[in-house]
Every structure is written in C-alpha cells, then in structure tokens.
Amino acid sequence: MPILRVALDLPLHRLFDYVSDEAGHGDVGLRVRVPFGRGERIGIIREVREDSDWPAEQLKPAIAILRDLPPLPEDFFRLCDFASTYYQAPIGEVILQALPVGLKRLAAPERRAGRRTAAVATVPAPELTGEQAAAIAAVSLGAGFAVHLLYGVTGSGKTEVYLRLIEKALAAGGQALVLVPEINLTPQLETRVRGRFPGAGVVALHSELAEAARERHWRAALEGEAQIVLGTRLAVFTPMPRLALMVVDEEHDASFKQQDGMRYSARDLAVFRARDLEIPVVLGSATPSLESWANAKSGRYQLLTLQERANAQATLPAVRLLDTRRMVLQEGISEPVLAAVAQRLERGEQSLVFLNRRGYAPVLACPACGWISHCRRCAANLVLHLADRRLRCHHCGFEVRVPKSCPTCGNQDIHPFGRGTQRLESWLQEHFPEARIVRVDRDSVKSRKQWEAMLERIHGGEADILVGTQMLAKGHDFPKLTLVGVLGADAALFAADWRAPERLFAQLMQVAGRAGRAELKGEVLVQTQYPDHPLYGALVAHDYPSYAATLLEEREQAGFPPYAYQAMLRAEAPDMADAIAFLTSARALPVAQEHSEIALYDPVPMHLSRLANLERGQLLAESPSRRALQTFLPQWRKAIEGIKAPAKLRWHLEVDPLEF
Ligand code: ADP
Ligand code: ZN
Ligand code: ZN
C-alpha cells in the first residue's frame, strides 16, 4: 500500500508516515487527515512512496485525503525546506505556518462567498522620469534570477517603478508578489495598485484580515486567479503557480523579520525564492539595509538609483540641526521649532512633531522615597498613559490604574518623568489653543479603519499639527505638510544595540521625507545635543551613501555583519542562573569545540533581561563564513536538544538576529 510522508505542525525535525490505499503520486501537496496520539490532525502530504523506514505494522492508515484545493506546488516545498534548514526550524511547523488557519482545522467552517471588492476607477500612469525609465529597463523579466536594489530618495517614485514592472509581469502571463512592512500603514499603496490593475484580482494578505478573507485570498493566489498579491512578511510563502516578479518595498524595515516562533527574514527568503524560480526580485528603499547595500557595492545585487523626486516641483527638504545645549527648552521643545510651527499655522500649512515614544511619560516616580513605576513582570518601567489613566508595560502588556499616591510611602505628589507623545500633544494644545492637533501613534490608531479615518482627516486639511511616532514616517504624501520637527532622537545614538544608529538614520530620513512632498518647500528641524555626530551630518546632506560607507567601515573593523554571520542561542527560565547554566552547557558541548571557524561568546543576560516573569539569557555564535555557520548549526542544535534542562526552561536559535 502507498505510504504517505506527512508534515505535521509539531516541533520535531521530521515527517510522519501513514498508509493510504487511495493515494497516488499526484497527491503530494494535498492536505490529509491523520490520526495522531489520541486525536486527529491535518497535515500536508510531502511525499508518496512505496516503502517506509518504519515497520509496516506500526503505520496507521490516514483518515482522508482532502481534495478541495489544488496541491501545493513543488517550489513551495523547496522554499519551506530551505527555510527549515537555514533557520533550524522544524519542517512541519514551517509548512503548516504558511497555511491559513481555516485550512488546518479538522472541522472546516462554513465557507461563505466573499464580498466582491468595490470596483475602482482606473488611474492613468504618469509619464516616467528618465531615472524611472532607466530603472525599469534594467530589470528584465524572463531573463532569469537577479536581485535589483532600487535605491531611491523619498518621493522619487519607486512605487511607479514597481507598478510598471508588475504590468510587464502580468502582460507576460505571470503573477507578482509585493511585500510591504505593515500593510495597515500603507492603504494608499493598495489603492494605487488596485487603481492601476482593476482587472487583476489584487489580493492582500496580512494578519489583520478576517480568517475567511485570508483563506479566500490565499486560495486565489494558489489557484492563479489573483495576479497580484500584496502582503506582509508571511506572504513570502504564498504559493503562486506563475510567480514572475517579487518586490520587497522598504526592504530595510525590521518588520520583515519574524521575531518569534520561526524566526525568519522575509526579505532574505524572497531572494532565495527568486533564485529558485529564476525570476527577478526588486528590493526598494531610500535607506537600504547595510546587508543589501554591501551586496550592491560588491556587485552581487544590481544597484538602480533614483536621485530626484518624481514630482518635478517637489524638492528635498532643507534639514537644519538645532543644538539644544545652547537653548532653553519648554517641555522639550526649542524656540525655533515653536516659531516654525507658529509660522505654518499662520500660513495654513501642516507641521509634524516627531517623537518616537508613545504614552504620556516613560515613567512615574516619587521624589520623596525614590519609588518608580516598575513592571513587576519585566526588567522595564511602566509607561504613564494619562489618556486612560493607566500605567502600562510596553513589553508584556501588564497594566494598572495610575495610583493616587506613592504605593510605598503614601506621598501624594508623584511626578511623571520624561515625555511621550500624549504629553507633547497636551502641551502643544495649551501653547497653540487655536490649533487642531492630531496625535498619531499605536494608542490613537489601533486598527486599519481608524488609520484610514485619520489619514482622511489629515488629507482633508482637518489637522494643523501632527504629533506622532514612526507610524507617521512611512510612505504618506501630505501635500500641505511643510515642517517636520524631530525631538528626542539622540537617545538612539548611544543605544546598547549596535544596529540602533542604522535604524535611527533610516527612520529620520523617512520622517524628514514627509516634508515638502508637493509644490510647497519643506523644512526639517532636528533637535540634538550632538550636532557633530556623523549621522546628523549625513541627514543634513541627504547623503545615505556616505553614512552607509561610514557604518560599513565600522562594521568591517569590528567584524560585525555583514562581514560576519551570526546566530543567537537564547534561553529563558524563571531563574537567570538556570538560563545561563543552560547556555554554558551549550557552549561547552564537544561539537562546539570542534568547529574552529565558529566563535562562541560568553552567555550573558539579554538587554531586556526579564520579560513576563521569565529571565532571559543569550549566547552569540559567529563566523566569518556563512557556510561554516550553516554546517555547524544543525549539529549544534541536535546536541543542544540532548542537554538536560529544568522543565520550565525554553530555548530557541535565531539565525541572522537583528536585535540584541
Ligand atoms: P517613493 O515610493 O519613492 O517615496 P512614490 O512612488 O510614492 O515615491 O512617488 C512620490 C510621488 O510622485 C507620488 O505622489 C507619485 O504619484 C508621484 N510620481 C511618481 N512618479 C511620477 C512621475 N513619473 N511623474 C509625476 N509624478 C510622479
Ligand atoms: Zn514614595
Ligand atoms: Zn512588563
């Protein structure tokens, strides 16, 4: 009888064999119901074979092969196999996580027909700029694998380049996959794509979709009905039978990295997938990741540059640094910023005051006894949210009511320290009583609907001053926005995480890019105590390439990525001693001593050393050779699985970690 080799959603690095008399070789890639333990599960048929490594009498029969979907294509499995090997993730988990929830359920829910998305009017394409035309010409569809790094300043019209390339892919009968960091933040992009390709069955795939919609969209992609898929990181796994082009927009964005469960980089998987399918992939950014930039510099990626803003009247904003060491600040804001905001109010233009810290104040404290609002579950402070009178942990979600007096000494005079967007908003409102102020952060905008409504208000001219976090920094065009004031940026300059400056620069370039997107000239004022820092110098000059060169040189000297390859072993347990002891054992394993090209650092507590009542430690493995690291990791992982650890200890490996 045929043997089915089945992938199941289990944390084990293997497949499971069943017998089935109804199976044929064409059934690879179909879902199957199988008995498991005392229950049943849905798995994916990975192989149909004649023999098993297990004695035939031990194999259980599969219950039913589900034939309601076309089989998952072979290239989907190649992608999953690669992800499983590269990221040391159990193959069954990798395959099953790529499926919509509804398709993994034993009792399939009633399927309702989907709502048709309203037809949108076709939007004509603008005439291309010379730079855009050159970039488009450089990408040939149908000529095999290539990675193109589209480096274009904010407003240079990268999206138009994507749209024209998608058009070509569709004309040749192909499908296109566009990955974006957070789809909620970019409803404008979805509208633009739908407007350009009204008949292409554009579908979105992201986590905010209702389950049924997600399943419908995913099916449409698999069945080839949807020609364009627009999605967040998980969408990189979407099976698409005629995939001809991939685009990763804002390729530097950290949200392409999955930070829990299977820790993978969707951007890097997109590159693998393009190579595997022999198709082009376009990575776009105004501030590429240093990894991609180094690849472009070495010629592995092809660099396409857009230096000018696409709208001929729009120029890059003038960036000015305000040295706050010599200034009197009111509530953290300098006189020049206030004057510039006042001027915009007079002219009927919009200002954006950027502060990347939400809440009212980062901490509440008692000056009498020294009490501060600590999270009792994490090594972090509780943030004061005055809007709903809560103290809230931004790491674990724990929250309590704001106490009326100090919990330790009873002092009624407890103070907020530092400031966040809520405090800034209320102070600005007092200072500019006539101004209409809109605060945009994760507390004021919780859903896509709220976000769209807020964007509409801003576009409709119902806002004079925007106060916001990085949420506001991403790809929006506000034609009346002519001033961006940046507060509190210095904090990231000297952060413990050595990638912090790279992220800060990208963020500031992006937020500065909001000013002066249309005819009105934009101005950006950055408050800093370190005006001589090279990061700010590059920001003033709009010079990503020189700052990238500086950072790459530092990385090369320090032997950091992209000049080294890393993997992080993390352990968490109720006691730090247990976590560190486990990591120490992992470091002392014989296999860890045998690989001379691998350096293992000392186990240390993580920067956020306690999260939700668990103490966390980490151990960095590093090698100048990716191949050496990849050879080492599976052997190390197997050996680590053999370490006797306390029952409550959890561990994982993260390859190419982004956060420290
Ligand atoms: P980016 O993604 O590079 O920041 P966008 O693609 O959003 O830039 O384009 C910025 C603005 O320029 C948009 O309003 C867009 O409609 C406009 N635009 C793009 N290409 C052209 C063009 N060739 N001619 C005129 N306007 C353009
Ligand atoms: Zn006190
Ligand atoms: Zn907490």
Side-chain angles (χ1 to χ4, degrees):
M1 230 194 303
I3 310 281
L4 303 180
R5 192 150 276 186
V6 176
L8 293 176
D9 193 358
L10 291 166
L12 295 167
H13 289 260
R14 64 183 195 85
L15 300 165
F16 297 82
D17 287 2
Y18 291 90
V19 288
S20 165
D21 51 10
E22 55 159 328
H25 285 280
D27 292 342
V28 170
L30 290 178
R31 276 144 58 244
V32 61
R33 267 172 95 109
V34 294
F36 191 87
R38 267 184 243 154
E40 290 179 15
R41 282 175 181 255
I42 296 284
I44 300 287
I45 303 174
R46 185 63 193 86
E47 239 183 290
V48 179
R49 15 185 324 145
E50 307 308 323
D51 55 344
S52 172
D53 305 334
W54 305 83
E57 65 278 8
Q58 284 184 16
L59 297 183
K60 292 185 186 156
I63 297 162
I65 296 177
L66 308 177
R67 302 180 185 279
D68 56 337
L69 276 180
L72 291 160
E74 198 46 47
D75 74 276
F76 166 82
F77 290 117
R78 289 197 299 272
L79 177 64
C80 291
D81 286 345
F82 173 77
S84 161
T85 309
Y86 188 83
Y87 294 110
Q88 302 299 314
I91 182 65
E93 282 186 1
V94 176
I95 291 176
L96 274 297
Q97 55 97 39
L99 257 60
V101 188
L103 297 176
K104 294 183 268 193
R105 268 221 195 91
L106 287 165
E110 220 23 52
R111 294 226 170 78
R112 283 168 297 133
R115 267 181 301 127
R116 276 261 156 261
T117 21
V120 267
T122 315
V123 179
E127 199 164 322
L128 295 173
T129 64
E131 285 183 333
Q132 284 172 326
I136 292 161
V139 181
S140 47
L141 286 127
F145 167 65
V147 187
H148 302 274
L149 180 61
L150 179 62
Y151 158 59
V153 300
T154 52
S156 60
K158 293 185 287 297
T159 312
E160 188 58 39
V161 173
Y162 307 150
L163 293 175
R164 297 297 178 104
L165 292 172
I166 292 171
E167 192 180 345
K168 283 204 222 176
L170 264 51
Q175 290 172 296
L177 173 60
V178 181
L179 299 179
V180 294
E182 284 167 273
I183 216 153
N184 288 325
L185 301 186
T186 52
Q188 284 173 330
L189 178 65
E190 198 179 332
T191 314
R192 271 173 86 179
V193 176
R194 283 189 198 288
R196 188 65 63 82
F197 305 102
V202 179
V203 296
L205 281 174
H206 54 87
S207 56
E208 225 188 276
L209 280 180
E211 201 181 283
R214 184 169 186 141
E215 183 179 327
R216 209 165 54 236
H217 293 179
W218 187 89
R219 247 169 200 273
L222 170 64
E223 287 164 355
E225 214 179 283
Q227 287 167 284
I228 305 174
V229 173
L230 209 59
T232 47
R233 61 175 176 258
L234 184 56
V236 74
F237 288 99
T238 315
M240 296 171 74
R242 305 188 313 277
L243 187 60
L245 170 73
M246 274 187 289
V247 171
V248 183
D249 189 27
E250 308 289 0
E251 66 89 29
H252 65 279
D253 198 287
S255 74
F256 286 119
K257 185 74 197 284
Q258 167 97 3
Q259 303 283 10
D260 52 28
M262 170 192 168
R263 293 163 171 81
Y264 64 94
S265 156
R267 177 198 61 212
D268 296 349
L269 287 182
V271 172
F272 168 83
R273 195 169 177 187
R275 176 182 297 125
D276 179 60
L277 292 173
E278 301 181 6
I279 61 172
V281 55
V282 178
L283 312 179
S285 177
T287 49
S289 64
L290 291 179
E291 281 76 7
S292 297
W293 190 249
N295 277 326
K297 287 284 147 184
S298 71
R300 282 165 44 108
Y301 292 0
Q302 194 192 351
L303 184 63
L304 310 172
T305 306
L306 307 179
Q307 270 173 324
E308 306 288 332
R309 283 196 155 178
N311 179 336
Q313 287 138 320
T315 46
L316 286 172
V319 180
R320 200 147 60 85
L321 303 177
L322 302 173
D323 184 349
T324 51
R325 289 172 304 184
R326 305 200 181 91
M327 291 178 181
V328 185
L329 304 183
Q330 296 183 64
E331 217 28 65
I333 314 179
S334 64
E335 193 45 49
V337 170
L338 288 174
V341 171
Q343 194 187 47
R344 295 322 187 277
L345 280 172
E346 241 162 66
R347 290 198 218 142
E349 295 169 9
Q350 286 173 331
S351 317
L352 159 59
V353 184
F354 176 78
L355 176 63
N356 206 18
R357 200 185 298 130
R358 66 195 170 89
Y360 186 84
V363 69
L364 187 65
C366 170
C369 77
W371 171 84
I372 60 169
S373 56
H374 252 310
C375 177
R376 66 174 73 135
R377 297 156 41 108
C378 304
N381 292 331
L382 293 174
V383 176
L384 175 61
H385 286 254
L386 263 196
D388 50 359
R389 306 206 59 79
R390 310 291 280 181
L391 289 172
R392 193 170 284 140
C393 176
H394 286 187
H395 299 283
C396 74
F398 174 80
E399 56 175 70
V400 286
R401 285 182 60 113
V402 174
K404 293 212 163 52
S405 56
C406 172
T408 37
C409 77
N411 172 21
Q412 303 223 327
D413 194 22
I414 45 180
H415 296 297
F417 272 81
R419 61 188 63 79
T421 46
Q422 289 177 13
R423 187 170 189 170
L424 189 58
E425 176 195 19
S426 60
W427 187 83
L428 283 168
Q429 193 64 78
E430 274 172 40
H431 194 79
F432 298 111
E434 75 288 11
R436 294 161 305 170
I437 302 184
V438 173
R439 172 168 56 86
V440 183
D441 56 30
R442 275 187 204 290
D443 300 311
S444 68
V445 181
K446 294 204 170 106
S447 70
R448 183 185 172 90
K449 273 221 162 68
Q450 282 178 334
W451 182 222
E452 282 175 9
M454 191 158 288
L455 284 176
E456 209 154 294
R457 272 175 72 192
I458 301 171
H459 277 284
E462 290 173 49
D464 302 312
I465 305 175
L466 311 177
V467 174
T469 59
Q470 61 180 352
M471 256 190 110
L472 263 178
K474 312 223 169 174
H476 299 287
D477 267 339
F478 302 124
K480 298 197 100 182
L481 183 75
T482 57
L483 172 71
V484 172
V486 176
L487 313 185
D490 286 343
L493 283 182
F494 308 104
D497 188 337
W498 49 270
R499 279 187 219 263
E502 177 185 356
R503 279 191 218 115
L504 175 65
F505 185 73
Q507 199 177 73
L508 293 182
M509 285 287 271
Q510 222 162 23
V511 72
R514 296 314 105 205
R517 300 267 291 185
E519 292 71 25
L520 301 168
K521 178 121 183 79
E523 182 181 23
V524 179
L525 301 176
V526 183
Q527 292 189 180
T528 173
Q529 301 194 33
Y530 306 92
D532 299 326
H533 195 284
L535 185 150
Y536 291 126
L539 188 69
V540 168
H542 299 282
D543 193 350
Y544 165 82
S546 85
Y547 192 54
T550 308
L551 287 178
L552 280 174
E553 203 171 302
E554 286 172 16
R555 300 269 180 97
E556 188 162 22
Q557 275 169 10
F560 282 163
Y563 302 99
Y565 300 90
Q566 300 182 328
M568 192 70 91
L569 176 64
R570 297 207 183 87
E572 49 184 47
D575 291 309
M576 183 62 87
D578 287 337
I580 297 294
F582 176 84
L583 296 172
T584 306
S585 312
R587 192 174 187 279
L589 287 166
V591 57
Q593 310 303 317
E594 287 158 12
H595 287 257
S596 59
E597 277 187 285
I598 308 292
L600 292 172
Y601 288 70
D602 288 329
V604 288
M606 284 176 68
H607 181 58
L608 181 65
S609 60
R610 192 157 55 97
L611 176 67
N613 286 332
L614 287 173
E615 302 282 342
R616 314 188 308 158
Q618 64 186 17
L619 161 59
L620 181 65
E622 192 180 73
S623 175
S625 153
R626 194 196 288 272
R627 186 180 299 258
L629 186 63
Q630 280 291 320
T631 309
F632 167 66
L633 287 177
Q635 301 172 15
W636 196 35
R637 174 180 53 72
K638 280 196 200 95
I640 294 169
E641 283 165 354
I643 297 177
K644 273 240 164 302
K648 288 202 171 145
L649 184 137
R650 295 277 171 275
W651 63 273
H652 69 259
L653 263 173
E654 178 169 354
V655 181
D656 303 331
L658 280 187
E659 282 180 18
F660 287 80

